[in-house]
Structure formats: C-alpha cells, structure tokens
Amino acid sequence: MTHKTCKNVRLPIWICLLMTLTMQASFAQGKSTYMRMAKITVDSVHLSDYLVALKTQMQSALKVEKGVLAYSAVQDKNNLNRITILETYASVAAYQAHIQTEHFKKYKATVTNMVKELELTDVMPIAVQSKQR
Amino acid sequence: MTHKTCKNVRLPIWICLLMTLTMQASFAQGKSTYMRMAKITVDSVHLSDYLVALKTQMQSALKVEKGVLAYSAVQDKNNLNRITILETYASVAAYQAHIQTEHFKKYKATVTNMVKELELTDVMPIAVQSKQR
C-alpha cells in the first residue's frame, strides 16, 4: 500500500468518526433537553405591553444564553389574552441559569402586575420537527 | 469603467436583490401561516400505540405535504397521557388539504378509540424562534 492510498483511506475514516461523534453529541443533547409549557392569562389592559416585554425577554435569552434553545409563543385566536409558550432549554441547569439572568428578572418584574394566571407544566418531547427548507 | 469592474459591482447587487426577495417570501409565508394547538388525553392502555400512530402521521405529513411546516408534540411529565401538539401549516388551505390525505385519515381511524379527550384551539404566533446552530 502506497502512502497516497493510506491517506485516501484515512480521510473517509476520519470523516465517519467525526460524524459519529457529532451525532452522539446531538443525541445526548436531545436526551437531556428540558422543556416546559407556560399557560398565561394576561390582563387585557396590559396585553400590548406584555407582548413587548415577552418578545424582548425571548430575544435576549436566545441571543445571550447558550442553553436557551427555542421558544414557541402563541395566542389563542378567540382570546388573545390567553398565551401558550413552549420553552426548550439545553438542560435543567440551563433553565436554572436562565431564571437568574438580568433580562429574565427584568421581564418578571415588568409583567408581575400584567399576568392574571400562570400555569407551568414540565413536558417531554414526543417529536419536534419542522420541514427542511 | 472596465467590463471586469462592472461584473464586480453587479454580483453584490444580484445577491442583495435575491436576499430581499427571499426575505419577502419568508415574511409573506409567516403572515399566512395557520397554527393550531391540539390538547389530547389518551387512554393510558393505548398510549404506546397512540404515540406510534402520531409519529407515523407527523413524519408522513412533513415528508409528503408541502403545506405542513412543523409539529411540536409533547407529553406532560407528570401525566404522560396528556399530550399537546402545536401544528403549523402554510395556510388554512394547506390544513384543509392535510385532513383529506390518506395518512391523516388512517391516523384518525387508528386512534379513534384511543383518544378520551380532544380540544382544538386556533392560535396565532407571537414569536416562534430557535437558536441558530
């Protein structure tokens, strides 16, 4: 076997090894992901202010915190004051770090008198998938 | 201006134009998106079969239907029979086409005796964002 042939064989092996490690890392992250669902009823008088505070918090968290992975925040069409937020963190530790951040504390302080009801539920993923674009 | 310089100027202009059109298309899609949230309580005896049927339906829909954009399906950690699915379609028409597909009809027929409660809510997005990886 020439030196050149060896190099040709080694490259695919290294690529396979790298892909395997990447897939394992991705799988491990999926296994430890921490998800929660927040059901919130907002005082209609404060709805527009609440939405500004919520969006600001989510954008800051996604931008600054490595462990904040995703937010899906929606309003009921027939009752815009009813909001559902599906939150995904890299781990429980990432969530605990999140609630200690300045942007989260600012959000909580801002909305404390705007929120009429808050129900938090720990959830686990069955499937979270979107179309590849 | 030499021919070479002209080409150098034209390329960034074409890239900008293409980016603008792409952003507009994305924005337009966002405006017409149809989202709904399904809250489902499954008979615990049938939970594992239900989850298989649900995953099969979601995978088929995402693969085959252009207008099915995303599913986020989760279970309550303290009551695995309680399931929430956040569904995103390209439009109301895409949803109406979806419920006429063979894979959706098969899913409905399969789970009809497994589901104890079903609550459907039309929702609209406040923000649906995930970390860029």
Side-chain angles (χ1 to χ4, degrees):
Chain A
M1 192 182 280
T2 66
H3 180 65
K4 193 178 173 186
T5 314
C6 271
K7 276 177 77 178
N8 285 346
V9 172
R10 276 179 195 155
L11 187 61
I13 291 173
W14 275 108
I15 290 171
C16 283
L17 186 64
L18 194 63
M19 283 175 71
T20 308
L21 290 172
T22 309
M23 284 168 70
Q24 282 177 341
S26 171
F27 180 73
Q29 188 184 49
K31 291 292 274 185
S32 67
T33 291
Y34 174 58
M35 293 183 80
R36 68 179 346 191
M37 191 163 53
K39 299 278 296 180
I40 297 162
T41 306
V42 178
D43 185 342
S44 58
V45 177
H46 299 296
L47 183 59
S48 60
D49 288 340
Y50 175 81
L51 293 177
V52 170
L54 176 64
K55 286 180 195 172
T56 304
Q57 193 294 123
M58 292 191 296
Q59 280 163 7
S60 299
L62 280 167
K63 190 175 172 189
V64 174
E65 295 180 73
K66 199 178 165 188
V68 176
L69 302 184
Y71 287 111
S72 292
V74 296
Q75 290 170 284
D76 288 12
K77 261 190 187 161
N78 291 332
N79 183 349
L80 297 178
N81 304 318
R82 287 179 60 85
I83 289 163
T84 304
I85 310 169
L86 189 60
E87 311 169 3
T88 310
Y89 304 93
S91 62
V92 173
Y95 168 72
Q96 285 164 344
H98 165 66
I99 57 175
Q100 297 304 320
T101 59
E102 283 309 307
H103 50 260
F104 182 78
K105 286 180 181 172
K106 186 179 175 189
Y107 160 76
K108 283 301 270 188
T110 304
V111 306
T112 191
N113 292 322
M114 300 177 182
V115 170
K116 288 166 73 180
E117 281 178 70
L118 169 63
E119 183 193 327
L120 296 168
T121 309
D122 279 7
V123 296
M124 48 190 271
I126 297 167
V128 178
Q129 296 177 303
S130 60
K131 179 94 73 200
Q132 299 300 317
R133 299 185 198 186
Chain B
M1 193 184 278
T2 66
H3 181 65
K4 195 178 171 186
T5 314
C6 269
K7 277 177 76 176
N8 285 346
V9 171
R10 276 179 195 156
L11 186 61
I13 291 172
W14 276 108
I15 291 171
C16 282
L17 187 64
L18 193 65
M19 283 174 71
T20 308
L21 289 171
T22 309
M23 284 167 70
Q24 281 177 342
S26 170
F27 180 72
Q29 187 184 52
K31 290 295 274 185
S32 67
T33 292
Y34 174 58
M35 293 184 81
R36 69 180 344 193
M37 191 164 53
K39 299 279 295 179
I40 297 162
T41 306
V42 178
D43 185 342
S44 59
V45 176
H46 299 295
L47 183 60
S48 60
D49 288 339
Y50 175 80
L51 293 177
V52 171
L54 175 65
K55 286 179 195 172
T56 304
Q57 193 292 123
M58 292 191 296
Q59 281 163 7
S60 298
L62 280 167
K63 191 176 172 187
V64 175
E65 293 180 73
K66 199 178 165 189
V68 176
L69 301 185
Y71 286 113
S72 293
V74 297
Q75 291 171 284
D76 288 13
K77 261 190 187 159
N78 291 332
N79 183 351
L80 297 179
N81 305 317
R82 287 180 59 86
I83 288 163
T84 304
I85 310 170
L86 190 60
E87 310 169 3
T88 309
Y89 303 94
S91 61
V92 174
Y95 168 73
Q96 284 164 346
H98 165 67
I99 59 175
Q100 297 303 322
T101 59
E102 284 309 307
H103 50 259
F104 182 78
K105 286 180 181 172
K106 186 179 174 188
Y107 160 77
K108 283 301 270 187
T110 305
V111 307
T112 190
N113 293 321
M114 301 176 181
V115 170
K116 289 166 71 178
E117 282 178 69
L118 169 63
E119 183 193 329
L120 296 169
T121 308
D122 279 7
V123 295
M124 48 189 271
I126 297 166
V128 178
Q129 295 177 304
S130 59
K131 178 96 72 201
Q132 299 299 317
R133 298 183 198 190

